[in-house]
Amino acid sequence: MRKSLSALALAFFMAAPAFAQDQAPRPATADAPPAGGAAAQDNPPAAPVPEAVTPAPTNPPMTGPKILISTSMGDITLQLDSVRAPKSVANVLRYVREKHYDNTAFYRVAHGFVIQMGSFDANGKGRGIHPGPVALEANNGLSNLRGSVAMARAEEPDSATAEFFINLADNLPLDHKADDPANTTGYAVFGQVLSGMDVVEAIGQVPTGDNGPMPGQAPVTPIIVKKVTVLK
């Protein structure tokens, strides 16, 4: 029942800067006055062309029910996407309606990466989950961007159960790989933080220790999930 998320290492390549060679100044002539002369004032240099700004990646609008996660640090509202991730959403809603998440905890805080909840209480004790894991829906057009919510799983693609995580950053290495036609890679995004991202970020900054299912990533002071409800 213990879940693991494997963050892939990103390699950054820095291009060596190119330096233009200085040209020797031209001698002053009647046709080419020295720099700063009247001709320079009459013909100012062209304005620099601004560099193109690459827009930040975004997920498309999501359609489906909303759930409210009431925690000891505040409320978080999630917008689920039952159109692009119908199996994942139905699975999470089943656990919500059965009150599986009530009185559990955010048991994993990986600073700058994710916060995770599901089936463990504040003492690290797990609770039962339904047999039959959820089929992987990572290839659904949604990306693991900051504030998105995805199903946690084991190494096997179709192994998600009740655990899910909220991304603290744009974790693109967790996305489905474009060269994977069999849909066996990535983590399925099924929702987005609608409100309470300040609470998510506050949870993501708490001190962590070893008292939990993921050593080194357990909040020192437990973050209690008091209740999870479906909003009308």
Side-chain angles (χ1 to χ4, degrees):
M1 183 167 58
R2 181 172 302 178
K3 304 297 173 185
S4 62
L5 296 177
S6 56
L8 305 181
L10 299 180
F12 296 95
F13 298 92
M14 300 182 62
F19 297 95
Q21 293 181 346
D22 294 332
Q23 296 181 353
R26 295 174 57 190
T29 66
D31 296 329
Q41 295 177 1
D42 294 340
N43 300 284
V49 178
E51 295 183 1
V53 178
T54 303
T58 58
N59 276 321
M62 301 186 185
T63 303
K66 303 175 182 66
I67 62 174
L68 174 64
I69 305 173
S70 299
T71 82
S72 54
M73 292 185 64
D75 291 347
I76 305 167
T77 301
L78 305 182
Q79 170 66 65
L80 307 185
D81 195 334
S82 55
V83 175
R84 296 178 180 84
K87 296 176 182 178
S88 300
V89 169
N91 171 68
V92 169
L93 290 178
R94 178 184 182 185
Y95 281 108
V96 170
R97 294 188 174 109
E98 294 177 355
K99 304 186 184 302
H100 175 87
Y101 298 120
D102 295 3
N103 299 311
T104 58
F106 272 99
Y107 59 83
R108 183 187 189 193
V109 172
H111 297 133
F113 183 41
V114 302
I115 62 174
Q116 184 168 320
M117 59 170 283
S119 302
F120 293 90
D121 64 19
N123 298 314
K125 182 180 179 181
R127 56 180 58 181
I129 55 176
H130 291 295
V134 183
L136 182 62
E137 295 180 306
N139 188 16
N140 62 6
L142 299 177
S143 182
N144 282 273
L145 302 177
R146 175 181 174 273
S148 63
V149 189
M151 297 301 301
R153 63 176 176 84
E155 293 183 4
E156 298 78 14
D158 302 335
S159 58
T161 55
E163 320 306 308
F164 62 85
F165 60 89
I166 302 175
N167 286 292
L168 297 175
D170 291 349
N171 294 319
L172 302 185
L174 301 184
D175 288 349
H176 172 264
K177 301 298 181 286
D179 59 354
D180 168 32
N183 195 27
T184 60
T185 59
Y187 295 82
V189 173
F190 68 93
Q192 177 77 30
V193 174
L194 188 62
S195 64
M197 193 63 196
D198 57 332
V199 177
V200 172
E201 290 176 339
I203 295 173
Q205 296 173 5
V206 300
T208 55
D210 297 330
N211 185 29
M214 295 192 175
Q217 298 180 347
V220 173
T221 300
I223 313 300
I224 305 301
V225 176
K226 300 176 180 178
K227 188 176 183 180
V228 181
T229 53
V230 179
L231 299 179
K232 302 298 184 183

